[in-house]
Coordinates of all heavy atoms in Angstrom, one line a residue:
M817 N 132.2 251.3 142.0 CA 131.6 250.4 143.0 C 131.1 249.0 142.3 O 130.0 248.8 142.0 CB 130.4 250.9 143.8 CG 130.9 251.9 144.8 SD 131.5 251.0 146.3 CE 130.7 252.0 147.7
P818 N 132.1 248.2 141.9 CA 131.6 246.9 141.4 C 130.8 246.1 142.2 O 131.1 246.0 143.5 CB 133.0 246.1 141.1 CG 134.1 247.2 141.2 CD 133.5 248.2 142.1
D819 N 129.9 245.4 141.6 CA 129.0 244.4 142.5 C 129.8 243.1 142.2 O 130.2 242.7 141.1 CB 127.6 244.3 141.8 CG 126.8 245.5 142.0 OD1 126.9 246.0 143.2 OD2 126.1 245.9 141.2
I820 N 129.8 242.3 143.3 CA 130.4 240.9 143.2 C 129.3 240.0 143.8 O 128.7 240.3 144.9 CB 131.6 240.7 144.1 CG1 132.5 241.9 144.0 CG2 132.3 239.4 143.8 CD1 133.7 241.7 145.0
T821 N 129.1 238.9 143.2 CA 128.3 237.8 143.7 C 129.2 236.6 144.1 O 129.9 236.1 143.3 CB 127.2 237.4 142.7 OG1 126.4 238.5 142.4 CG2 126.3 236.3 143.3
F822 N 129.0 236.3 145.4 CA 129.7 235.0 145.9 C 128.7 233.9 145.8 O 127.6 234.1 146.5 CB 130.3 235.2 147.2 CG 131.4 236.2 147.4 CD1 131.1 237.6 147.4 CD2 132.7 235.8 147.2 CE1 132.2 238.5 147.5 CE2 133.7 236.7 147.2 CZ 133.5 238.1 147.4
I823 N 129.0 232.8 145.3 CA 128.1 231.6 145.3 C 128.7 230.6 146.3 O 129.8 230.1 146.0 CB 127.8 231.0 144.1 CG1 127.3 232.1 143.1 CG2 126.8 229.8 144.1 CD1 127.0 231.6 141.6
H824 N 128.0 230.4 147.5 CA 128.5 229.5 148.5 C 128.4 227.9 148.0 O 127.6 227.7 147.0 CB 127.7 229.6 149.7 CG 128.0 231.0 150.4 ND1 129.2 231.2 151.3 CD2 127.4 232.1 150.3 CE1 129.2 232.4 151.6 NE2 128.2 233.0 151.2
F825 N 129.1 227.1 148.6 CA 129.0 225.7 148.2 C 127.6 225.1 148.2 O 127.3 224.3 147.4 CB 130.0 224.8 149.0 CG 130.1 223.5 148.5 CD1 130.9 223.3 147.4 CD2 129.6 222.4 149.2 CE1 131.2 222.1 146.8 CE2 129.8 221.1 148.6 CZ 130.6 220.9 147.5
D826 N 126.8 225.5 149.0 CA 125.4 225.0 149.1 C 124.6 225.7 148.1 O 123.3 225.4 148.0 CB 124.8 225.2 150.5 CG 124.6 226.7 150.9 OD1 124.9 227.6 150.1 OD2 124.1 226.9 152.0
G827 N 125.1 226.6 147.2 CA 124.3 227.3 146.2 C 123.7 228.6 146.6 O 123.3 229.3 145.6
T828 N 123.8 229.0 147.8 CA 123.3 230.2 148.2 C 124.1 231.4 147.7 O 125.3 231.2 147.5 CB 123.1 230.4 149.7 OG1 124.3 230.3 150.3 CG2 122.1 229.4 150.3
E829 N 123.5 232.4 147.2 CA 124.3 233.6 146.7 C 124.3 234.8 147.6 O 123.3 235.0 148.3 CB 123.6 234.1 145.3 CG 123.6 232.9 144.3 CD 123.1 233.3 142.9 OE1 122.8 234.7 142.8 OE2 122.9 232.6 142.0
Q830 N 125.5 235.4 147.6 CA 125.6 236.5 148.4 C 126.2 237.7 147.6 O 127.4 237.5 147.1 CB 126.5 236.2 149.6 CG 126.7 237.2 150.7 CD 127.4 236.8 152.0 OE1 127.8 235.6 152.1 NE2 127.7 237.7 152.9
G831 N 125.6 238.8 147.5 CA 126.0 239.8 146.7 C 126.5 241.0 147.5 O 126.0 241.2 148.7
L832 N 127.5 241.7 147.1 CA 128.0 242.9 147.8 C 128.6 243.9 146.8 O 129.0 243.6 145.7 CB 128.9 242.6 148.9 CG 130.2 241.8 148.6 CD1 131.2 242.7 148.2 CD2 130.5 240.9 149.8
E833 N 128.7 245.2 147.3 CA 129.4 246.2 146.5 C 130.6 246.4 147.2 O 130.8 246.3 148.5 CB 128.6 247.5 146.5 CG 127.4 247.4 145.6 CD 126.7 248.9 145.5 OE1 127.2 249.8 146.3 OE2 125.8 249.0 144.8
A834 N 131.7 246.6 146.4 CA 133.0 246.9 146.9 C 133.7 248.0 146.1 O 133.5 248.0 144.9 CB 133.8 245.6 146.9
P835 N 134.6 248.7 146.8 CA 135.2 249.8 146.0 C 136.3 249.2 145.0 O 136.8 248.3 145.3 CB 135.8 250.7 147.2 CG 136.0 249.7 148.3 CD 134.9 248.8 148.1
E836 N 136.5 250.0 144.0 CA 137.6 249.6 143.0 C 139.0 249.7 143.8 O 139.1 250.5 144.9 CB 137.7 250.6 141.9 CG 136.4 250.5 141.0 CD 136.6 251.6 139.9 OE1 137.7 251.9 139.4 OE2 135.6 252.2 139.6
G837 N 139.7 248.8 143.4 CA 141.2 248.9 144.1 C 141.3 247.8 145.2 O 142.4 247.5 145.5
V838 N 140.3 247.4 145.8 CA 140.5 246.4 146.9 C 140.4 244.9 146.1 O 139.9 244.9 144.9 CB 139.3 246.4 148.0 CG1 139.3 247.8 148.5 CG2 138.0 246.0 147.4
S839 N 140.9 244.0 146.8 CA 140.9 242.6 146.3 C 139.5 242.0 146.5 O 138.8 242.4 147.4 CB 141.9 241.9 146.8 OG 141.8 241.5 148.1
V840 N 139.3 241.1 145.7 CA 138.0 240.2 146.0 C 138.1 239.7 147.4 O 137.0 239.6 148.1 CB 137.8 239.1 144.9 CG1 136.7 238.2 145.3 CG2 137.7 239.7 143.6
M841 N 139.2 239.2 147.8 CA 139.4 238.7 149.2 C 139.1 239.8 150.2 O 138.3 239.5 151.2 CB 140.8 238.2 149.4 CG 141.1 237.6 150.8 SD 141.6 238.9 152.0 CE 143.2 239.3 151.6
Q842 N 139.6 240.9 150.0 CA 139.3 242.1 151.0 C 137.8 242.4 151.0 O 137.3 242.6 152.1 CB 140.2 243.3 150.6 CG 141.6 243.1 150.9 CD 142.5 244.3 150.3 OE1 142.2 244.7 149.2 NE2 143.4 244.7 151.1
A843 N 137.2 242.4 150.0 CA 135.7 242.6 149.8 C 135.0 241.6 150.6 O 134.1 241.9 151.3 CB 135.3 242.7 148.3
A844 N 135.3 240.3 150.5 CA 134.8 239.3 151.1 C 134.9 239.3 152.6 O 133.9 239.2 153.4 CB 135.2 237.9 150.6
T845 N 136.1 239.4 153.0 CA 136.3 239.4 154.5 C 135.8 240.7 155.2 O 135.4 240.6 156.2 CB 137.9 239.2 154.8 OG1 138.6 240.4 154.1 CG2 138.4 238.0 154.3
G846 N 135.8 241.8 154.4 CA 135.3 243.0 155.0 C 133.8 242.9 155.3 O 133.2 243.6 156.1
A847 N 133.1 242.1 154.4 CA 131.7 241.9 154.4 C 131.2 240.6 155.2 O 130.1 240.3 155.3 CB 131.1 241.8 153.1
G848 N 132.3 240.0 155.8 CA 132.0 238.7 156.5 C 131.5 237.5 155.6 O 130.7 236.6 156.2
V849 N 132.0 237.4 154.5 CA 131.6 236.4 153.6 C 132.2 235.1 154.2 O 133.4 235.1 154.2 CB 131.9 236.6 152.1 CG1 131.6 235.4 151.3 CG2 131.2 237.9 151.6
A850 N 131.3 234.1 154.5 CA 132.0 232.9 155.0 C 132.6 232.1 154.0 O 132.2 232.1 152.8 CB 130.7 232.0 155.6
G851 N 133.7 231.4 154.4 CA 134.3 230.6 153.4 C 135.6 231.2 152.7 O 136.3 230.5 152.1
I852 N 135.8 232.4 153.0 CA 137.1 233.1 152.5 C 137.9 233.3 153.8 O 137.6 234.2 154.6 CB 136.8 234.4 151.9 CG1 135.9 234.2 150.7 CG2 138.1 234.9 151.4 CD1 136.5 233.4 149.5
V853 N 138.9 232.5 154.1 CA 139.6 232.4 155.3 C 140.8 233.6 155.3 O 141.0 234.3 156.2 CB 140.2 231.1 155.6 CG1 141.0 231.1 156.9 CG2 139.1 230.0 155.7
A854 N 141.6 233.5 154.2 CA 142.6 234.5 154.0 C 143.6 234.6 155.1 O 144.0 235.6 155.7 CB 142.0 235.8 153.7
E855 N 144.1 233.4 155.5 CA 145.1 233.3 156.6 C 146.3 234.2 156.5 O 146.8 234.7 157.5 CB 145.6 231.8 156.8 CG 144.7 231.0 157.6 CD 145.2 229.7 157.8 OE1 146.2 229.3 157.1 OE2 144.6 228.8 158.6
C856 N 146.8 234.3 155.3 CA 148.0 235.2 155.2 C 147.8 236.6 154.8 O 148.8 237.3 154.7 CB 148.9 234.5 154.0 SG 148.3 235.0 152.3
G857 N 146.6 237.0 154.8 CA 146.3 238.4 154.7 C 146.4 239.0 153.3 O 146.4 240.2 153.2
G858 N 146.6 238.2 152.3 CA 146.6 238.6 151.0 C 148.0 238.6 150.3 O 148.2 239.2 149.2
S859 N 148.9 237.7 150.8 CA 150.3 237.6 150.3 C 150.4 236.6 149.3 O 151.6 236.2 149.1 CB 151.3 237.5 151.5 OG 151.1 238.5 152.3
A860 N 149.4 235.8 148.9 CA 149.6 234.7 148.0 C 150.3 233.6 148.7 O 151.2 233.0 147.9 CB 150.0 235.1 146.6
M861 N 150.2 233.4 150.0 CA 151.0 232.4 150.6 C 150.2 231.4 151.4 O 150.8 230.6 152.1 CB 151.9 233.1 151.7 CG 152.9 234.1 151.2 SD 154.2 233.3 150.3 CE 155.2 232.6 151.5
C862 N 148.9 231.3 151.2 CA 148.1 230.3 152.0 C 147.0 229.6 151.2 O 146.7 228.5 151.5 CB 147.4 231.1 153.2 SG 146.0 232.2 152.7
A863 N 146.5 230.2 150.1 CA 145.5 229.5 149.2 C 144.1 229.4 150.1 O 143.3 228.7 149.5 CB 146.0 228.2 148.8
T864 N 143.9 230.0 151.2 CA 142.7 229.9 151.9 C 141.7 230.9 151.4 O 140.6 231.1 152.0 CB 142.9 229.9 153.4 OG1 143.5 231.2 153.7 CG2 143.7 228.7 154.0
C865 N 142.1 231.7 150.4 CA 141.2 232.5 149.8 C 140.6 232.1 148.3 O 140.2 232.8 147.5 CB 141.8 234.0 149.7 SG 143.1 233.9 148.5
H866 N 140.9 230.8 148.1 CA 140.6 230.1 146.9 C 139.1 230.4 146.4 O 138.2 230.3 147.2 CB 140.8 228.7 147.0 CG 140.5 227.9 145.8 ND1 140.2 226.5 145.9 CD2 140.3 228.1 144.6 CE1 140.0 225.9 144.8 NE2 140.0 226.9 143.8
V867 N 138.9 230.8 145.2 CA 137.6 231.0 144.6 C 137.6 230.4 143.2 O 138.7 230.3 142.7 CB 137.0 232.5 144.5 CG1 136.9 233.0 145.9 CG2 138.0 233.3 143.7
I868 N 136.5 230.0 142.8 CA 136.4 229.5 141.3 C 135.5 230.5 140.6 O 134.4 230.8 140.9 CB 135.7 228.1 141.3 CG1 136.4 227.1 142.2 CG2 135.5 227.6 139.9 CD1 135.7 226.0 142.9
V869 N 136.2 231.2 139.7 CA 135.6 232.2 138.9 C 134.6 231.6 137.8 O 134.9 230.7 137.2 CB 136.7 233.1 138.2 CG1 136.1 234.2 137.3 CG2 137.7 233.7 139.2
D870 N 133.4 232.4 137.8 CA 132.4 231.9 136.9 C 133.0 231.9 135.5 O 133.8 232.8 135.1 CB 131.3 232.9 137.0 CG 130.1 232.5 136.1 OD1 129.3 231.8 136.6 OD2 130.1 232.9 134.9
E871 N 132.7 230.9 134.7 CA 133.3 230.7 133.4 C 133.2 231.9 132.5 O 134.1 232.3 131.7 CB 132.8 229.5 132.6 CG 133.4 228.2 133.4 CD 133.1 227.0 132.5 OE1 132.5 227.1 131.4 OE2 133.4 225.9 133.1
A872 N 132.0 232.7 132.6 CA 131.8 233.9 131.8 C 132.8 234.9 132.1 O 133.0 235.8 131.3 CB 130.4 234.3 132.1
W873 N 133.4 234.9 133.4 CA 134.3 236.0 133.8 C 135.7 235.6 133.6 O 136.6 236.4 133.7 CB 134.0 236.3 135.2 CG 132.9 237.3 135.3 CD1 131.6 236.9 135.6 CD2 133.0 238.7 135.1 NE1 130.9 238.0 135.6 CE2 131.7 239.2 135.2 CE3 134.0 239.6 134.8 CZ2 131.3 240.5 135.2 CZ3 133.6 241.0 134.8 CH2 132.3 241.3 134.9
A874 N 136.0 234.2 133.4 CA 137.4 233.7 133.5 C 138.4 234.6 132.6 O 139.5 234.8 132.9 CB 137.4 232.3 133.3
D875 N 137.9 234.8 131.4 CA 138.8 235.4 130.5 C 139.0 236.9 130.5 O 139.7 237.6 129.8 CB 138.5 235.0 129.0 CG 138.7 233.5 128.7 OD1 139.4 232.9 129.4 OD2 137.9 233.0 127.8
Q876 N 138.1 237.5 131.4 CA 138.1 238.9 131.6 C 139.0 239.4 132.7 O 139.1 240.7 132.8 CB 136.6 239.3 131.7 CG 135.7 238.9 130.5 CD 134.3 239.4 130.7 OE1 134.1 240.6 130.9 NE2 133.4 238.6 130.7
L877 N 139.5 238.5 133.4 CA 140.4 239.0 134.5 C 141.9 238.9 134.0 O 142.2 238.1 133.2 CB 140.1 238.0 135.7 CG 138.7 237.9 136.2 CD1 138.8 237.0 137.4 CD2 138.1 239.3 136.6
P878 N 142.6 239.8 134.7 CA 144.1 239.7 134.4 C 144.6 238.3 134.7 O 144.1 237.7 135.8 CB 144.7 240.7 135.2 CG 143.6 241.7 135.6 CD 142.3 240.8 135.6
P879 N 145.4 237.7 133.9 CA 145.9 236.3 134.2 C 146.7 236.2 135.6 O 147.2 237.2 136.0 CB 146.7 235.9 133.1 CG 147.2 237.2 132.5 CD 146.1 238.2 132.8
P880 N 146.7 235.0 136.2 CA 147.4 234.9 137.4 C 149.0 235.0 137.2 O 149.5 234.5 136.2 CB 147.1 233.5 137.9 CG 146.5 232.9 136.7 CD 145.9 233.9 135.9
L881 N 149.7 235.5 138.1 CA 151.2 235.5 138.1 C 151.7 234.2 138.6 O 151.0 233.4 139.1 CB 151.7 236.7 138.9 CG 151.2 238.1 138.4 CD1 151.8 239.2 139.4 CD2 151.6 238.5 137.0
A882 N 153.1 234.0 138.5 CA 153.7 232.8 138.7 C 153.5 232.4 140.2 O 153.1 231.3 140.6 CB 155.1 232.8 138.4
N883 N 153.5 233.3 141.1 CA 153.3 233.0 142.5 C 151.9 232.6 142.8 O 151.7 231.6 143.7 CB 153.8 234.2 143.4 CG 153.0 235.5 143.3 OD1 152.4 235.6 142.3 ND2 152.9 236.2 144.2
E884 N 150.9 233.2 142.2 CA 149.7 232.7 142.3 C 149.4 231.3 141.8 O 148.8 230.5 142.5 CB 148.6 233.6 141.7 CG 147.1 233.2 141.9 CD 146.2 234.2 141.2 OE1 146.5 235.3 140.7 OE2 145.0 233.8 141.2
L885 N 149.9 231.1 140.6 CA 149.8 229.7 140.0 C 150.4 228.6 140.9 O 149.9 227.6 141.1 CB 150.5 229.7 138.6 CG 149.7 230.4 137.5 CD1 150.7 230.6 136.3 CD2 148.4 229.8 137.2
E886 N 151.5 229.0 141.5 CA 152.2 228.0 142.4 C 151.4 227.8 143.6 O 151.2 226.6 144.0 CB 153.5 228.6 142.8 CG 154.5 227.8 143.5 CD 155.9 228.3 143.8 OE1 156.3 229.2 143.1 OE2 156.4 228.0 144.9
M887 N 150.8 228.7 144.2 CA 150.0 228.5 145.4 C 148.6 227.8 145.0 O 148.1 227.1 145.9 CB 149.7 229.9 146.1 CG 149.1 229.8 147.5 SD 150.1 228.7 148.6 CE 151.7 229.5 148.6
L888 N 148.2 228.0 143.8 CA 147.0 227.3 143.5 C 147.1 225.8 143.5 O 146.2 225.0 143.4 CB 146.4 227.8 142.1 CG 145.7 229.2 142.1 CD1 145.5 229.7 140.7 CD2 144.4 229.0 142.8
E889 N 148.4 225.4 143.5 CA 148.6 223.9 143.6 C 148.4 223.4 145.0 O 148.3 222.2 145.3 CB 150.0 223.6 143.3 CG 150.4 224.0 141.8 CD 149.6 223.2 140.8 OE1 149.3 222.0 141.0 OE2 149.3 223.8 139.7
C890 N 148.1 224.3 145.9 CA 147.9 223.9 147.4 C 146.6 224.2 147.8 O 146.4 224.3 149.2 CB 149.0 224.7 148.2 SG 150.6 224.7 147.6
T891 N 145.6 224.3 147.1 CA 144.3 224.6 147.6 C 143.6 223.3 148.2 O 144.0 222.2 147.9 CB 143.3 225.0 146.4 OG1 143.4 224.0 145.4 CG2 143.7 226.3 145.8
A892 N 142.8 223.6 149.3 CA 142.2 222.4 150.1 C 141.2 221.7 149.2 O 141.1 220.5 149.2 CB 141.7 223.0 151.3
T893 N 140.4 222.4 148.5 CA 139.5 221.8 147.5 C 140.2 221.8 146.1 O 140.9 222.8 145.7 CB 138.2 222.6 147.4 OG1 137.6 222.6 148.7 CG2 137.3 222.1 146.3
E894 N 140.0 220.7 145.4 CA 140.8 220.5 144.2 C 140.7 221.7 143.2 O 139.6 222.2 143.1 CB 140.3 219.3 143.5 CG 141.0 219.0 142.3 CD 140.6 217.6 141.6 OE1 139.7 217.1 142.1 OE2 141.1 217.3 140.5
R895 N 141.8 222.1 142.7 CA 141.8 223.3 141.8 C 141.0 223.0 140.5 O 141.0 221.9 140.0 CB 143.3 223.5 141.5 CG 143.5 224.7 140.4 CD 144.9 224.8 140.2 NE 145.2 225.8 139.1 CZ 146.3 226.1 138.7 NH1 147.4 225.5 139.0 NH2 146.4 227.1 137.8
Q896 N 140.2 224.0 140.2 CA 139.4 223.9 138.9 C 140.0 224.8 137.8 O 141.0 225.6 138.1 CB 138.0 224.4 139.2 CG 137.3 223.7 140.4 CD 137.0 222.3 140.0 OE1 136.6 221.9 139.0 NE2 137.5 221.4 141.0
P897 N 139.7 224.6 136.5 CA 140.2 225.4 135.5 C 140.2 226.9 135.7 O 141.1 227.7 135.2 CB 139.5 225.0 134.2 CG 139.0 223.6 134.5 CD 138.7 223.7 136.0
T898 N 139.2 227.4 136.3 CA 139.0 228.9 136.6 C 139.4 229.2 138.0 O 138.9 230.3 138.5 CB 137.6 229.3 136.2 OG1 136.6 228.7 137.0 CG2 137.4 229.0 134.7
S899 N 140.0 228.5 138.7 CA 140.5 228.6 140.1 C 141.3 229.9 140.2 O 142.3 230.0 139.4 CB 141.0 227.5 140.8 OG 140.2 226.5 141.2
R900 N 141.1 230.7 141.2 CA 142.0 231.9 141.4 C 142.2 232.1 142.9 O 141.4 231.6 143.8 CB 141.4 233.2 140.8 CG 141.3 233.2 139.4 CD 142.7 233.2 138.6 NE 143.5 234.3 139.0 CZ 143.6 235.5 138.3 NH1 142.8 235.6 137.2 NH2 144.5 236.4 138.7
L901 N 143.3 232.8 143.4 CA 143.3 233.3 144.7 C 142.6 234.7 144.7 O 143.0 235.6 144.0 CB 144.7 233.4 145.1 CG 145.7 232.2 145.1 CD1 147.1 232.6 145.5 CD2 145.1 231.1 146.0
S902 N 141.6 234.7 145.5 CA 140.8 236.0 145.5 C 141.6 237.2 145.9 O 141.2 238.4 145.6 CB 139.5 235.8 146.3 OG 139.8 235.6 147.7
C903 N 142.6 237.0 146.7 CA 143.5 238.2 147.1 C 144.3 238.7 146.0 O 144.8 239.8 146.1 CB 144.4 237.7 148.3 SG 145.7 236.5 147.8
Q904 N 144.3 238.0 144.9 CA 145.1 238.6 143.7 C 144.3 239.1 142.6 O 144.8 239.5 141.6 CB 146.0 237.3 143.3 CG 147.0 236.7 144.3 CD 147.9 237.8 144.8 OE1 148.7 238.3 144.1 NE2 147.8 238.0 146.1
I905 N 142.9 239.2 142.8 CA 142.1 239.8 141.9 C 141.7 241.2 142.4 O 141.0 241.3 143.5 CB 140.8 239.0 141.7 CG1 141.1 237.6 141.3 CG2 139.9 239.6 140.6 CD1 140.0 236.7 141.2
K906 N 142.2 242.2 141.9 CA 142.0 243.6 142.3 C 140.8 244.1 141.5 O 140.8 244.0 140.2 CB 143.2 244.4 142.0 CG 144.5 244.2 142.9 CD 144.3 245.0 144.3 CE 145.6 244.8 145.1 NZ 145.7 243.5 145.7
L907 N 139.8 244.7 142.2 CA 138.6 245.0 141.6 C 138.8 246.3 140.8 O 139.4 247.3 141.2 CB 137.5 245.2 142.6 CG 137.0 244.0 143.2 CD1 136.1 244.2 144.5 CD2 136.2 243.1 142.3
T908 N 138.2 246.2 139.6 CA 138.1 247.4 138.7 C 136.7 247.6 138.2 O 135.9 246.7 138.4 CB 139.0 247.3 137.4 OG1 138.4 246.1 136.6 CG2 140.5 246.9 137.7
A909 N 136.4 248.8 137.6 CA 135.2 249.1 137.2 C 134.7 248.1 136.1 O 133.4 247.8 136.1 CB 135.0 250.4 136.7
A910 N 135.6 247.5 135.4 CA 135.3 246.5 134.4 C 134.8 245.2 134.9 O 134.2 244.4 134.3 CB 136.5 246.2 133.5
M911 N 135.0 244.9 136.3 CA 134.6 243.8 136.9 C 133.2 243.9 137.5 O 132.7 243.0 138.4 CB 135.6 243.3 138.0 CG 136.9 243.0 137.4 SD 138.1 242.6 138.7 CE 139.5 242.6 137.7
Q912 N 132.5 244.9 137.2 CA 131.0 245.0 137.6 C 130.2 243.7 137.3 O 130.2 243.3 136.2 CB 130.4 246.2 136.9 CG 128.9 246.4 137.1 CD 128.6 246.8 138.5 OE1 129.3 247.4 139.2 NE2 127.3 246.4 138.8
G913 N 129.7 243.1 138.4 CA 128.9 241.9 138.1 C 129.7 240.7 138.2 O 129.1 239.6 138.0
L914 N 131.0 240.7 138.7 CA 131.8 239.5 138.8 C 131.1 238.4 139.7 O 130.4 238.8 140.7 CB 133.2 239.9 139.4 CG 134.2 238.8 139.7 CD1 134.5 238.1 138.4 CD2 135.3 239.4 140.5
V915 N 131.3 237.2 139.3 CA 130.7 236.1 140.0 C 131.7 235.1 140.3 O 132.5 234.6 139.4 CB 129.6 235.4 139.1 CG1 129.0 234.2 139.9 CG2 128.4 236.4 138.8
V916 N 131.8 234.7 141.6 CA 132.8 233.7 142.0 C 132.1 232.7 142.8 O 131.2 233.0 143.5 CB 134.1 234.3 142.6 CG1 134.8 235.3 141.7 CG2 133.7 235.0 144.0
R917 N 132.7 231.5 142.9 CA 132.1 230.5 143.7 C 133.1 230.1 144.7 O 134.4 230.2 144.6 CB 131.9 229.2 142.9 CG 130.8 229.3 141.8 CD 130.6 228.1 141.0 NE 129.7 228.4 139.9 CZ 128.4 228.4 140.0 NH1 127.9 228.0 141.1 NH2 127.7 228.7 138.9
I918 N 132.6 229.8 145.9 CA 133.5 229.5 147.1 C 133.5 228.0 147.2 O 132.5 227.3 147.2 CB 132.8 230.2 148.4 CG1 132.8 231.6 148.3 CG2 133.6 229.7 149.7 CD1 132.2 232.4 149.4
P919 N 134.8 227.4 147.2 CA 134.9 226.0 147.3 C 134.4 225.3 148.5 O 134.2 226.0 149.6 CB 136.4 225.8 147.0 CG 137.0 227.0 147.5 CD 136.1 228.1 147.2
E920 N 134.3 224.0 148.5 CA 133.7 223.3 149.7 C 134.5 223.5 151.0 O 133.9 223.7 152.1 CB 133.7 221.8 149.4 CG 133.1 221.0 150.4 CD 133.0 219.5 150.0 OE1 133.5 219.1 149.0 OE2 132.3 218.8 150.8
R921 N 135.8 223.5 150.9 CA 136.6 223.8 152.1 C 137.8 224.6 151.7 O 138.3 224.5 150.6 CB 136.8 222.6 152.9 CG 137.7 221.5 152.1 CD 137.7 220.2 152.8 NE 138.5 219.3 152.0 CZ 139.7 219.0 152.1 NH1 140.4 219.6 152.9 NH2 140.3 218.1 151.3
Q922 N 138.3 225.3 152.7 CA 139.6 226.1 152.5 C 140.8 225.7 153.2 O 141.9 226.1 153.1 CB 139.3 227.6 152.8 CG 138.3 228.2 152.0 CD 138.8 228.6 150.6 OE1 139.7 228.0 150.1 NE2 138.2 229.6 150.1
Q923 N 140.6 224.7 154.3 CA 141.6 224.2 155.0 C 141.7 222.7 155.2 O 140.7 222.1 155.1 CB 141.6 224.9 156.4 CG 141.8 226.3 156.4 CD 141.6 227.0 157.7 OE1 140.5 226.8 158.4 NE2 142.5 227.9 158.1
Ligands
LIG1420 FE1 146.5 234.0 151.5 FE2 145.1 234.8 149.4 S1 144.9 235.4 151.4 S2 146.7 233.4 149.5

């Protein structure tokens, strides 16, 4: 049960627990975290699940695949060096304590 902390654009933090194997996007939408739209349902086709991974975690996640990198060019808020599509980050036990920021807008 990894803990994840979402930091909203206004700085408020929202923590939740999520089971291993689900994506960060699924954890967020399942818990009603505002700002994760996920229009395409997790197919790496919309970029409305954009998150900015905390720098301390950026190197600890599996790197993005080509389709994710391509879609990260289409984010509503400018892409950052640690930007990811949250639907493409599958939670593992090693991600206990993951911190991601939600960008200003998703659409
Ligand atoms: Fe559409 Fe992640 S939910 S790209």
Side-chain angles (χ1 to χ4, degrees):
M817 281 286 221
D819 291 320
I820 314 172
T821 299
F822 293 89
I823 302 177
H824 293 274
F825 187 70
D826 67 1
T828 58
E829 297 187 7
Q830 185 172 358
L832 57 90
E833 288 187 354
E836 293 176 40
V838 304
S839 70
V840 172
M841 176 279 281
Q842 289 170 317
T845 55
V849 175
I852 302 293
V853 179
E855 271 181 354
C856 78
S859 304
M861 297 290 289
C862 72
T864 61
C865 66
H866 176 203
V867 293
I868 300 153
V869 176
D870 187 90
E871 287 189 7
W873 279 95
D875 293 339
Q876 300 183 54
L877 303 181
L881 300 178
N883 61 337
E884 181 180 351
L885 288 170
E886 188 175 330
M887 192 50 59
L888 281 167
E889 299 297 329
C890 305
T891 55
T893 295
E894 186 177 357
R895 180 183 177 180
Q896 303 295 310
T898 62
S899 285
R900 296 293 302 265
L901 298 181
S902 60
C903 69
Q904 301 302 300
I905 305 171
K906 293 277 188 280
L907 289 168
T908 67
M911 295 179 193
Q912 169 71 27
L914 178 65
V915 178
V916 300
R917 296 177 188 279
I918 298 174
E920 183 175 11
R921 61 191 176 92
Q922 295 283 29
Q923 295 173 308

